[in-house]
Amino acid sequence: MKKRQVGTSDLFVTELGLGCMSIGTEEKAARSIIEAALEEGINYFDTADLYDFGDNERLVGKALKDVREQIIIATKVGNRWHKERTGWSWDPSKAYIKEEVKNSLKRIGTDYIDLYQLHGGTLDDPIDETIEAFEELKAEGFIRYYGISSIRPNVIREYVKKSSIVSVMMQYSILDRRPEETVLPLLQENGISVVTRGPLAKGLLSDKLLDKASEKGYLDYTLEELQDILPVLKEKVASSRSFTEVALQYNLSNPAVASVVAGASSTDQIKRNANAVRSQPLTNEEIRMIRELAKASIYNEHR
């Protein structure tokens, strides 16, 4: 599987990454999904301390222990579980980040984290202090690089301006083209890579199409709009290939994108996603058609 550089770092990640939140908590099943990903050549695994109260990090670390030097592990910090585990609070403080990284390292069973990401962020955060925490962790060797996971343009701009982030994880798909209007050009211009999540828009951009639709629609798309748009997209762009291929290749067609992180709850899903990433890139005409049918401006039309 092809690899792309993350920003200006020496991290080279496969075009498809595994979003580990969906692997479940049963160790045997989770390990089979991770092993299937390895067999497909995937080297990028994304987890977070928040997932399953840290158990996700443990499962990921255990399954990848024997190939640790060949793969890239990304995890996240900033959400602090309440003691009762009934919810969590946001804590981007330097003290918490420097404390929590040690817990993540212990759970994963590793001496370092390849990519440590702030799991959110607001303009009200102590951003300078947060950046200082990540920079110190880099200097101390606990992490190799850091990034943020955010969909907030103003927050992203602050980190572009003030920090040495190498990546931004954000939701991006044919049905969620907001990043194209806001931050993708900025990140590309500054040599910062995008790691995308939600590329299949909760299954709407898979071959199941409207089977996954709900009365609520999706983001600013009403159900009626989805019923209009998705079949036309299928006919015009995905008549000779799977919709999954079109969806993943659309993300990869943007030069700012380093990897598409897709979840998987079965080994079959891993194989389908891997085949989709290995398929032919979209042509300029296909990209033009997608952008014509799924207009980014829909987000402004409904507000």
Side-chain angles (χ1 to χ4, degrees), residues 121-263:
T122 74
L123 289 179
D124 294 328
D125 293 344
I127 292 176
D128 292 339
E129 177 186 317
T130 301
I131 293 169
E132 191 174 89
F134 283 108
E135 290 290 348
E136 288 183 10
L137 290 176
K138 266 184 70 177
E140 292 160 359
F142 291 115
I143 66 174
R144 294 174 66 189
Y145 299 97
Y146 69 96
I148 62 173
S149 176
S150 178
I151 59 172
R152 293 174 170 160
N154 289 337
V155 171
I156 292 169
R157 290 187 191 103
E158 283 296 296
Y159 278 89
V160 169
K161 182 168 62 176
K162 293 183 173 183
S163 77
S164 59
I165 58 170
V166 298
S167 66
V168 177
M169 173 176 262
M170 66 179 68
Q171 182 168 294
Y172 178 46
S173 73
I174 290 171
L175 293 179
D176 187 358
R177 293 179 51 213
R178 290 172 293 180
E180 295 174 2
E181 299 180 314
T182 53
V183 294
L184 290 184
L186 172 71
L187 294 173
Q188 186 183 3
E189 180 183 326
N190 284 273
I192 298 167
S193 290
V194 175
V195 177
T196 70
R197 60 179 177 82
L200 300 181
K202 295 186 176 179
L204 291 168
L205 297 173
S206 71
D207 288 309
K208 294 182 179 180
L209 291 177
L210 292 164
D211 289 349
K212 293 290 185 177
S214 75
E215 291 293 331
K216 295 179 181 179
Y218 182 75
L219 297 177
D220 282 346
Y221 285 92
T222 64
L223 177 59
E224 291 74 19
E225 285 169 332
L226 292 174
Q227 290 169 336
D228 288 339
I229 291 169
L230 292 178
V232 177
L233 276 171
K234 176 69 176 173
E235 178 188 353
K236 299 285 187 181
V237 189
S239 59
S240 60
R241 58 160 111 192
S242 74
F243 215 162
T244 298
E245 289 179 33
V246 172
L248 298 189
Q249 289 296 337
Y250 182 78
N251 280 26
L252 291 170
S253 71
N254 192 293
V257 173
S259 184
V260 178
V261 173

Side-chain angles (χ1 to χ4, degrees), residues 21 25 57 63 78 93 103 107 128 136 163 209 228 268 292:
M21 184 174 68
T25 56
E57 286 183 326
S93 67
N103 294 326
R107 286 189 292 262
D128 292 339
E136 288 183 10
S163 77
L209 291 177
D228 288 339
D268 284 343
E292 178 66 26

Side-chain angles (χ1 to χ4, degrees), residues 34-67:
I34 291 172
E35 288 177 350
L38 291 169
E39 288 171 8
E40 294 294 338
I42 293 169
N43 79 340
Y44 181 46
F45 298 83
D46 182 271
T47 180
D49 59 359
L50 185 68
Y51 303 159
D52 300 316
F53 311 105
D55 285 343
N56 194 265
E57 286 183 326
R58 291 189 188 92
L59 286 173
V60 170
K62 194 171 181 180
L64 295 172
K65 182 178 180 181
D66 293 340
V67 293

